[in-house]
Amino acid sequence: MASCVIPVPPFDMILFGATGDLAHRKIFPGLFHRFLVGQMPPEGRIIGAARSEFSAEQFRATLRKSLLEFAPSATKNKAKLDAFLALVEYVSVDAKGPRGWDKLADLMRPDVVRAFYLSVGPSLFAPIAEQLRMAKLTTPDARIVVEKPFGHDLASARALNAELGRCFGEDQIYRIDHYLGKETVQNVMALRFANALFEPLWNSQHIDHVQITVAEKLGVNGRGEYYDRSGAMRDMVQNHLMQLLCLTAMEPPSRFEPNAVRDEKLKVIRSLDPVQPGDFARGQYRGDGDQGSYTEHAKNPDSTTESFIAMKVEVSNWRWAGTPFYLRTGKRLRAHLSEIAIVFRDPPHSIFPDGEGRRSNALIIRLQPNEGITLRMTIKEPGPGGMRLTDVPLDMTFAEALGQNAESADAYERLVMDVLRGDQTLFMRGDEVEAAWEWADPIIKSWEDTGQKPALYDTGSSGPEDSLMLMHRDGRRWREIGS
């Protein structure tokens, strides 16, 4: 059945930080792919903006090289690549000064959607927004996109919200979290709210616990000094894992529209209990001879910043009372993996011998790699010899189920298209960001006040022993990373 795709209106997209790594690895390749599949209107135009003194021709030549490297389809579609590059302009601007803004204004058209994408450091968010206001480029139909981190704590997030709010309305601000653009993350909502099978069971009466894991094999090489100022809690839990928790725990919205969805996510954050010191475990990876340790990568031998964190979180509402959510994320772990595991309660009475080859039913939502859904069930093991039970997965990998040619859009390209369409459903609202920091700040303060050092763990492991004990004391076990 053909899907209904909302058309993208004519637009000028101004990409600040256009010479940066994120722009060339993700944003421009994503736009090019949307252009290839026909979702970019012929009236669409992209204006790169950065400090570098390039001419438009020089910038297009640089962009051509990066698209040939990071957009695999570019090598097969040279004519389309040329047509895409013809839509690209470039202007050199000073984010904190007057240089270049008049040239940017001359390039922009008055009768199209304006999308300002800030692929720059957080310290430049407010100055660029103010420059746009002073240059009178903030039309009623303009949108501004800001990357994470959105603040370092509650106070800085509030200040940034206020600074952006002086230049743009809340309905014009798009706080981007690329995790929300992943196909499987959106499928959490479809799975729950479009199927009568799961929603009646989606509560503490039937679900024993939920595990949310985001594991990475790579360390912090190349960004160690930045990461050492944030750590896993600020870099991952307060935003990415929080969003996954909200989508898993939220109540059904009245409609699938931006504020209805975001209202329900906000209710989840405000229902979170404070996390006690005994309910989290922090870790820092060791070196293994061939590869350096966290402190070497951070260039800080006395660092107390965590590269791993696991925690037990309680949602205090009628749906989830008594069902804990276990969150964990870390660098240099056994595998690259992101998943949500919904572990159901055992039957109230078993007619089979105890421990006879069965595990609890579980619904595993794989976000990466190999996006898909697995339902773990117990069946009779084939063959004679009595009733022997075994555990089997019902597995749906999206690429296989939907066909090998059903190419999934990258998270960034999907979110950029939502910006141009004016759809804020998958973007965080200001009060949502502040509520998340309000919950996270006391947790961070609890270890900063004591100077507590994270426990060391081996590269290629599942994290520190303390994280295993977090589950063992509750009579539960983490799913094996990479299983």
Side-chain angles (χ1 to χ4, degrees):
M1 182 174 63
S3 60
C4 179
V5 177
I6 300 172
V8 175
F11 66 86
D12 281 346
M13 178 174 169
I14 301 84
L15 178 55
F16 291 93
T19 58
D21 187 66
L22 177 63
H24 283 258
R25 285 179 177 270
K26 290 291 186 180
I27 302 172
F28 277 118
L31 288 166
F32 175 63
H33 187 227
R34 290 299 94 193
F35 177 78
L36 275 184
V37 299
Q39 287 191 5
M40 189 179 294
E43 303 89 354
R45 189 171 53 172
I46 304 155
I47 303 171
R51 288 180 299 176
S52 302
E53 294 280 2
F54 288 138
S55 67
E57 292 76 14
Q58 289 172 323
F59 180 72
R60 291 188 197 107
T62 301
L63 182 56
R64 178 187 297 275
K65 291 179 182 177
S66 63
L67 286 172
L68 289 171
E69 181 179 358
F70 299 118
S73 51
T75 57
K76 305 173 187 176
N77 296 275
K78 294 292 182 66
K80 289 285 188 179
L81 177 57
D82 291 339
F84 175 77
L85 291 171
L87 302 177
V88 178
E89 296 287 347
Y90 181 82
V91 61
S92 176
V93 298
D94 179 359
K96 297 183 177 181
R99 180 176 60 83
W101 293 96
D102 53 343
K103 293 181 181 177
L104 177 60
D106 290 341
L107 283 174
M108 297 176 64
R109 297 169 290 175
D111 54 349
V112 299
V113 167
R114 293 179 178 180
F116 303 103
Y117 195 122
L118 276 52
S119 179
V120 296
S123 63
L124 295 179
F125 291 169
I128 290 176
E130 180 63 19
Q131 291 285 358
L132 290 169
R133 186 188 68 80
M134 290 192 301
K136 298 182 179 179
L137 299 178
T138 56
T139 60
D141 205 23
R143 297 97 196 251
I144 187 168
V145 185
V146 291
E147 288 275 352
K148 81 173 187 72
F150 195 90
H152 187 74
D153 53 19
L154 176 59
S156 58
R158 280 178 173 164
L160 182 53
N161 273 335
E163 289 165 345
L164 292 178
R166 283 194 289 270
C167 307
F168 293 88
E170 178 60 37
D171 62 343
Q172 296 176 295
I173 302 171
Y174 290 70
R175 300 167 186 86
I176 195 167
D177 183 338
H178 74 272
Y179 258 64
L180 292 182
K182 291 182 180 295
E183 194 72 48
T184 326
V185 173
Q186 295 172 68
N187 257 310
V188 175
M189 287 189 283
L191 187 74
R192 290 187 56 192
F193 305 135
N195 296 284
L197 177 63
F198 292 113
E199 185 58 23
L201 307 179
W202 213 265
N203 54 59
S204 60
Q205 183 178 353
H206 299 286
I207 293 175
D208 178 76
H209 70 280
V210 177
Q211 298 182 29
I212 301 177
T213 298
V214 178
E216 299 179 69
K217 291 185 73 173
L218 296 177
V220 299
N221 323 42
R223 59 193 293 258
E225 293 180 70
Y226 155 76
Y227 192 90
D228 205 45
R229 296 190 296 270
S230 59
M233 184 68 188
R234 288 186 172 98
D235 188 56
M236 293 295 293
V237 176
Q238 184 272 337
N239 40 74
H240 294 333
L241 272 73
M242 177 66 72
Q243 291 299 311
L244 299 182
L245 187 156
C246 287
L247 292 177
T248 305
M250 64 189 274
E251 295 296 321
S254 57
R255 297 173 303 280
F256 187 68
E257 61 92 18
N259 279 327
V261 171
R262 296 188 295 181
D263 284 346
E264 297 304 333
K265 290 198 294 175
L266 180 61
K267 290 177 187 176
V268 173
I269 300 173
R270 289 180 172 165
S271 297
L272 297 178
D273 283 346
V275 176
Q276 303 304 315
D279 285 339
F280 63 79
R282 299 165 68 234
Q284 198 180 83
Y285 62 80
R286 295 185 180 96
D288 64 357
D290 295 330
Q291 299 178 344
S293 66
Y294 173 82
T295 54
E296 290 171 327
H297 293 153
K299 299 179 181 178
N300 182 4
D302 300 317
S303 175
T304 59
T305 300
E306 74 285 351
S307 62
F308 174 99
I309 189 166
M311 61 175 58
K312 177 182 178 180
V313 177
E314 301 277 358
V315 182
S316 288
N317 60 26
W318 277 34
R319 181 183 288 266
W320 294 113
T323 293
F325 287 68
Y326 297 94
L327 316 181
R328 64 175 168 171
T329 183
K331 306 286 188 182
R332 281 282 181 84
L333 298 178
R334 182 172 298 146
H336 177 63
L337 168 77
S338 297
E339 69 172 30
I340 302 169
I342 314 297
V343 182
F344 292 91
R345 297 188 184 278
D346 291 334
H349 172 70
S350 176
I351 63 174
F352 306 107
D354 290 341
E356 192 66 48
R358 75 172 306 278
R359 291 186 290 171
S360 300
N361 299 136
L363 180 68
I364 316 301
I365 304 169
R366 295 190 307 278
L367 311 180
Q368 60 184 13
N370 303 322
E371 294 182 337
I373 298 171
T374 299
L375 180 60
R376 193 176 70 203
M377 303 189 70
T378 301
I379 66 167
K380 177 189 176 297
E381 187 175 294
M387 180 63 74
R388 298 188 307 276
L389 303 182
T390 188
D391 184 59
V392 297
L394 300 179
D395 198 321
M396 185 190 78
T397 300
F398 289 165
E400 296 174 358
L402 301 178
Q404 295 295 337
N405 294 326
E407 186 175 358
S408 177
D410 177 81
Y412 273 101
E413 61 189 85
R414 178 180 293 109
L415 292 173
V416 168
M417 290 297 105
D418 281 352
V419 171
L420 298 174
R421 293 186 182 106
D423 184 351
Q424 289 186 307
T425 305
L426 299 176
F427 296 83
M428 292 176 287
R429 204 167 56 194
D431 53 359
E432 187 182 345
V433 172
E434 291 182 16
W437 277 120
E438 192 170 6
W439 173 80
D441 274 1
I443 304 171
I444 297 169
K445 189 174 186 298
S446 70
W447 66 64
E448 288 184 342
D449 285 349
T450 61
Q452 176 194 33
K453 281 199 167 188
L456 297 178
Y457 63 92
D458 293 331
T459 293
S461 69
S462 296
E465 289 293 322
D466 290 353
S467 69
L468 302 179
M469 294 305 299
L470 191 67
M471 294 284 276
H472 287 173
R473 74 184 186 194
D474 292 343
R476 301 181 176 104
R477 297 181 62 182
W478 289 110
R479 280 177 44 80
E480 285 294 326
I481 293 176
S483 63

